[in-house]
Amino acid sequence: MKLRNAAALATLSTIFSLPLAAQDYALLHQVSQSQHDRAEREQTEKDHRNHTGLKIIGGSTAGGAAIGALAGGGKGALIGGAVGAGGGAIANKVRKDKAVKDRERRESEYRRDHHNDPR
């Protein structure tokens, strides 16, 4: 019983400390709206040039359809394809958001190193 209470306490303390860590990260890596817009625009242009989003979503759709077909025939393929497309869209969004944050971080580090920016 004590082990279960200790595990529950550890889990709750971790969950409640996450917003604090996220706020610290946000304060350390503040960028202006124009920097964010530029990073997002550049990432979108790169993704469109390389068809990155289409590859991720299409691959996920094909994989989901293949697994669904093996598991449940034609109807399973349709369901698996839809689930794969949804998962691929979410994965692509997460990947793009991470890439934009990386661009923002690189830009702010470059500015700080080369322009004596106090941030």
Side-chain angles (χ1 to χ4, degrees), residues 3 5 8 11 22 29 33 40 44 55 57 61 63 67 71 76-77 79-80 86 88-92 101 104:
L3 182 61
N5 289 341
T11 303
H29 299 285
Q33 185 64 39
E40 192 167 2
T44 300
K55 291 175 186 175
I57 296 171
T61 302
I67 292 171
I79 294 170
I90 292 169
N92 187 49
K101 286 202 180 297
E104 291 171 353

Side-chain angles (χ1 to χ4, degrees), residues 48-118:
H48 285 187
R49 268 194 318 270
N50 297 324
H51 306 288
T52 307
L54 295 175
K55 291 175 186 175
I56 291 172
I57 296 171
S60 299
T61 302
I67 292 171
L70 291 174
K75 186 176 180 182
L78 287 173
I79 294 170
V83 170
I90 292 169
N92 187 49
K93 173 72 172 143
V94 169
R95 181 206 53 84
K96 183 178 177 183
D97 290 346
K98 183 179 182 306
V100 168
K101 286 202 180 297
D102 288 345
R103 282 181 181 269
E104 291 171 353
R105 182 185 47 78
R106 283 194 307 265
E107 175 72 19
S108 65
E109 287 175 0
Y110 177 82
R111 286 177 180 261
R112 185 179 61 241
D113 293 343
H114 291 88
H115 300 292
N116 296 326
D117 191 11

